[in-house]
Amino acid sequence: MRPLAVLAWVPILALLGNNAPRAEDSRMTTMRFVVVKPVAAEAPQAKPYAVVTVKLPAASGDASLDAFRAKVAAVAKRRVYAELAELVTPQGFFWDRDFDAEFVSRLPSVDNLAAALRLERRGGAGWNALARFVAEAGAEPLPGRPGILCAPGEPAFDNLAFDRLLDATASEARDWAYPRAENTPVRAAPEANAPVIDKLELVLVRVLDRSAATAKADAAESGWTRVATPAGKVGFVAPGTLRSLSPERLCYGKDVFGRWRIAGYVGGD
């Protein structure tokens, strides 16, 4: 086939002769320098949804609890296990939403707390999580456990409006979160210097997926989160900027001497 192809082209070139187009021919120049611009990819879009505003949890207002949490924060910074044990209730420690059944009643309370927080995993990330828990401003009573306060507190929003939102989007409560602060940037890519495509006010936002591989990690330890904003824009928010509607919670209670102690832990969704 190749020889035939060569023979077929020879007479064509011969016929063209001196009239063959040259590089300086304006028509050839025009054809030679035509640049095809790539079509810019449009930003991903989702269907817009109704705005449901959120009120952040209020501060506890208990100076003695704040002082106790400051003491826990100091221990978390030093990462001294024995000192932490002194701040955990010796009896009655609980672990709600323990889906993997890791709680072991015969172990000391501090050991169960360490297991819940994964204290020494990933370079001691659990100590960082403990510091974040005690830095929370709010703390609210835990239903069914008299005298127990847990942090973070729960946000306030219109539950009826949220139910309508779930129906309209065919989603579940676990698909939603809220920003920890106003004007939270939503970026075009999971990078700190990526363009900002939208900003989140204090509203419920739909979570599409998380880039972190650790499903149980606290939000601040997780990767960038892909979200759809109420305006229908799809982008990413930085680690630690969103909070689940069912977050992990650290709980406090007073002992027989009226001293605050870490009394329990509630797992996230």
Side-chain angles (χ1 to χ4, degrees):
M1 293 297 293
R2 287 183 181 177
L4 291 175
V6 172
L7 290 173
W9 277 102
V10 169
I12 294 175
L13 293 175
L15 288 172
L16 288 175
N18 295 330
N19 293 323
R22 299 179 181 178
E24 61 270 17
D25 191 315
S26 60
R27 289 171 298 174
M28 285 299 293
T29 303
T30 301
M31 294 177 63
R32 180 171 293 181
F33 290 97
V34 169
V35 177
V36 179
K37 295 183 179 180
V39 178
E42 295 183 0
Q45 298 291 313
K47 185 178 180 181
Y49 53 83
V51 172
V52 178
T53 58
V54 171
K55 183 179 180 181
L56 296 178
S60 69
D62 189 318
S64 63
L65 177 58
D66 292 342
F68 172 72
R69 293 196 285 194
K71 186 182 296 184
V72 178
V75 171
K77 186 176 182 179
R78 292 194 295 269
R79 299 190 177 189
V80 179
Y81 199 85
E83 292 182 9
L84 177 61
E86 295 177 1
L87 302 179
V88 182
T89 182
Q91 301 293 332
F93 181 87
F94 64 89
W95 182 347
D96 290 350
R97 298 176 65 84
D98 173 24
F99 299 119
D100 294 332
E102 296 183 61
F103 179 83
V104 181
S105 59
R106 59 181 173 78
L107 291 179
S109 296
V110 68
D111 289 352
N112 280 304
L113 175 63
L117 295 176
R118 287 159 172 73
L119 208 59
E120 299 295 348
R121 296 189 187 180
R122 292 184 289 125
W127 288 104
N128 297 331
L130 178 61
R132 289 191 297 273
F133 275 125
V134 297
E136 295 287 348
E140 296 180 351
L142 182 64
R145 292 188 180 274
I148 298 297
L149 298 178
C150 298
E154 295 184 354
F157 53 85
D158 187 330
N159 287 295
L160 182 57
F162 185 39
D163 288 341
R164 289 196 294 263
L165 182 59
L166 294 180
D167 290 339
T169 56
S171 60
E172 301 178 359
R174 65 183 302 170
D175 298 327
W176 297 84
Y178 63 94
R180 294 172 180 257
E182 293 183 288
N183 297 317
T184 296
V186 180
R187 299 186 181 275
E191 301 171 356
N193 59 352
V196 175
I197 61 171
D198 204 349
K199 288 189 177 181
L200 296 174
E201 300 303 320
L202 295 179
V203 299
L204 294 179
V205 58
R206 187 167 187 179
V207 175
L208 300 180
D209 57 53
R210 295 184 184 276
S211 59
T214 51
K216 285 194 171 184
D218 181 86
E221 292 294 327
S222 301
W224 287 76
T225 304
R226 185 168 173 261
V227 301
T229 72
K233 296 181 180 180
V234 176
F236 299 83
V237 293
T241 55
L242 291 185
R243 172 167 286 157
S244 165
L245 295 179
S246 298
E248 300 175 46
R249 308 175 78 190
L250 191 66
C251 302
Y252 311 92
K254 291 184 177 181
D255 62 16
V256 294
F257 301 104
R259 300 173 300 188
W260 285 105
R261 291 291 181 264
I262 298 175
Y265 172 85
V266 180
D269 57 9

